[in-house]
Amino acid sequence: QVQLVESGGRLVQPGGSLRLSCAASGSILSIYAMGWYRQAPGKQRELVASMAIDGSTTYADSVKGRFTISRDNAKNAVYLQMNTLKPEDTAVYYCNADKVWDRSSTYYPDYWGQGTQVTVSS
Protein backbone atom coordinates (compact mmCIF):
# COMPACT_ATOMS: atom_id res chain seq x y z
CA GLN A 1 0.00 0.00 0.00
CA VAL A 2 2.93 2.31 -0.67
CA GLN A 3 3.44 3.90 -4.06
CA LEU A 4 5.97 6.34 -5.50
CA VAL A 5 5.13 8.72 -8.32
CA GLU A 6 7.74 10.82 -10.14
CA SER A 7 7.16 13.84 -12.32
CA GLY A 8 9.06 16.63 -14.02
CA GLY A 9 11.05 14.91 -16.72
CA ARG A 10 11.07 16.44 -20.19
CA LEU A 11 13.22 17.54 -23.10
CA VAL A 12 15.59 20.37 -22.20
CA GLN A 13 18.51 22.04 -23.96
CA PRO A 14 22.08 21.74 -22.69
CA GLY A 15 22.70 24.23 -19.92
CA GLY A 16 19.07 24.23 -18.91
CA SER A 17 17.43 23.23 -15.66
CA LEU A 18 14.77 20.83 -14.47
CA ARG A 19 13.21 19.97 -11.15
CA LEU A 20 12.06 16.43 -10.55
CA SER A 21 9.52 15.59 -7.88
CA CYS A 22 8.59 12.34 -6.19
CA ALA A 23 5.93 11.68 -3.59
CA ALA A 24 5.25 8.53 -1.63
CA SER A 25 1.64 7.75 -0.87
CA GLY A 26 0.05 5.41 1.62
CA SER A 27 -0.12 5.06 5.37
CA ILE A 28 3.57 5.74 5.83
CA LEU A 29 5.21 6.04 9.21
CA SER A 30 8.78 6.63 8.12
CA ILE A 31 11.22 6.29 5.23
CA TYR A 32 14.90 5.99 6.05
CA ALA A 33 16.25 7.30 2.75
CA MET A 34 14.84 8.72 -0.44
CA GLY A 35 16.79 9.33 -3.58
CA TRP A 36 17.15 9.38 -7.31
CA TYR A 37 18.72 6.85 -9.64
CA ARG A 38 19.10 7.03 -13.38
CA GLN A 39 19.64 4.61 -16.21
CA ALA A 40 20.81 5.58 -19.67
CA PRO A 41 20.53 3.24 -22.69
CA GLY A 42 23.21 0.57 -22.56
CA LYS A 43 24.32 1.53 -19.07
CA GLN A 44 23.66 0.22 -15.59
CA ARG A 45 21.41 2.05 -13.20
CA GLU A 46 23.38 4.42 -10.99
CA LEU A 47 22.74 6.46 -7.90
CA VAL A 48 22.40 10.16 -8.64
CA ALA A 49 21.62 11.53 -5.20
CA SER A 50 20.06 10.39 -1.96
CA MET A 51 19.11 11.86 1.38
CA ALA A 52 18.65 9.99 4.63
CA ILE A 53 16.06 10.95 7.19
CA ASP A 54 18.69 12.81 9.21
CA GLY A 55 19.48 15.04 6.23
CA SER A 56 22.75 13.46 5.20
CA THR A 57 23.28 13.38 1.44
CA THR A 58 25.17 11.42 -1.17
CA TYR A 59 25.85 12.57 -4.74
CA ALA A 60 27.38 10.96 -7.76
CA ASP A 61 30.64 12.64 -8.72
CA SER A 62 29.25 13.48 -12.14
CA VAL A 63 26.49 15.69 -10.71
CA LYS A 64 28.21 17.36 -7.76
CA GLY A 65 27.87 21.11 -7.96
CA ARG A 66 25.04 20.90 -10.49
CA PHE A 67 22.30 18.86 -8.82
CA THR A 68 20.72 19.41 -5.42
CA ILE A 69 18.51 16.95 -3.59
CA SER A 70 15.94 18.05 -1.04
CA ARG A 71 13.37 16.24 1.02
CA ASP A 72 10.13 17.04 2.79
CA ASN A 73 9.59 14.36 5.40
CA ALA A 74 6.13 15.64 6.33
CA LYS A 75 5.01 15.12 2.73
CA ASN A 76 7.08 11.98 2.14
CA ALA A 77 8.48 13.72 -0.89
CA VAL A 78 11.89 14.15 -2.46
CA TYR A 79 13.04 16.57 -5.14
CA LEU A 80 15.99 16.88 -7.46
CA GLN A 81 16.98 20.30 -8.77
CA MET A 82 19.11 19.79 -11.86
CA ASN A 83 21.07 22.74 -13.22
CA THR A 84 23.57 23.11 -16.05
CA LEU A 85 22.27 19.96 -17.66
CA LYS A 86 24.48 18.07 -20.08
CA PRO A 87 23.63 15.57 -22.81
CA GLU A 88 25.28 12.93 -20.61
CA ASP A 89 22.48 13.47 -18.09
CA THR A 90 19.97 11.97 -20.51
CA ALA A 91 18.37 8.97 -18.81
CA VAL A 92 15.29 7.62 -17.17
CA TYR A 93 15.28 8.91 -13.61
CA TYR A 94 13.78 6.72 -10.89
CA CYS A 95 12.69 7.69 -7.43
CA ASN A 96 13.60 5.29 -4.65
CA ALA A 97 12.44 4.93 -1.07
CA ASP A 98 14.67 2.79 1.12
CA LYS A 99 13.50 1.12 4.34
CA VAL A 100 9.83 2.02 4.62
CA TRP A 101 7.52 1.44 7.58
CA ASP A 102 3.78 1.95 7.40
CA ARG A 103 1.57 2.89 10.30
CA SER A 104 0.76 -0.76 10.97
CA SER A 105 4.47 -1.31 11.61
CA THR A 106 4.84 -3.26 8.38
CA TYR A 107 8.31 -3.00 6.87
CA TYR A 108 9.14 -2.78 3.17
CA PRO A 109 12.80 -2.96 2.08
CA ASP A 110 12.40 -0.52 -0.78
CA TYR A 111 10.05 0.93 -3.36
CA TRP A 112 10.66 2.28 -6.86
CA GLY A 113 8.78 4.77 -8.94
CA GLN A 114 7.88 4.18 -12.57
CA GLY A 115 10.58 6.49 -13.90
CA THR A 116 10.53 9.81 -15.71
CA GLN A 117 12.45 10.54 -18.90
CA VAL A 118 14.97 13.38 -18.97
CA THR A 119 16.40 14.20 -22.37
CA VAL A 120 19.10 16.84 -22.75
CA SER A 121 19.58 17.74 -26.38
CA SER A 122 19.86 20.73 -28.67
Side-chain angles (χ1 to χ4, degrees):
Q1 55 189 8
V2 177
Q3 295 184 349
L4 299 178
V5 179
E6 309 105 322
S7 63
R10 65 175 179 88
L11 173 66
V12 64
Q13 293 185 327
S17 298
L18 285 175
R19 187 171 190 258
L20 305 183
S21 299
C22 173
S25 63
S27 298
I28 297 169
L29 180 63
S30 66
I31 302 172
Y32 172 71
M34 299 189 75
W36 295 92
Y37 291 71
R38 68 186 182 187
Q39 187 166 22
K43 296 184 178 180
Q44 296 185 6
R45 187 173 300 186
E46 65 172 344
L47 173 68
V48 178
S50 67
M51 179 177 286
I53 196 167
D54 64 358
S56 61
T57 58
T58 300
Y59 290 95
D61 288 342
S62 60
V63 307
K64 288 180 179 178
R66 299 188 297 120
F67 292 9
T68 302
I69 190 170
S70 59
R71 178 174 172 177
D72 186 336
N73 292 333
K75 297 180 179 179
N76 292 313
V78 65
Y79 310 92
L80 186 67
Q81 178 65 46
M82 304 186 293
N83 298 326
T84 318
L85 283 161
K86 304 175 180 179
E88 302 92 278
D89 296 317
T90 296
V92 177
Y93 285 70
Y94 297 90
C95 179
N96 173 261
D98 183 44
K99 302 181 180 67
V100 181
W101 284 264
D102 69 14
R103 295 190 180 276
S104 298
S105 298
T106 301
Y107 171 74
Y108 306 91
D110 63 81
Y111 276 89
W112 292 91
Q114 80 285 357
T116 185
Q117 177 71 48
V118 173
T119 302
V120 185
S121 176
S122 60

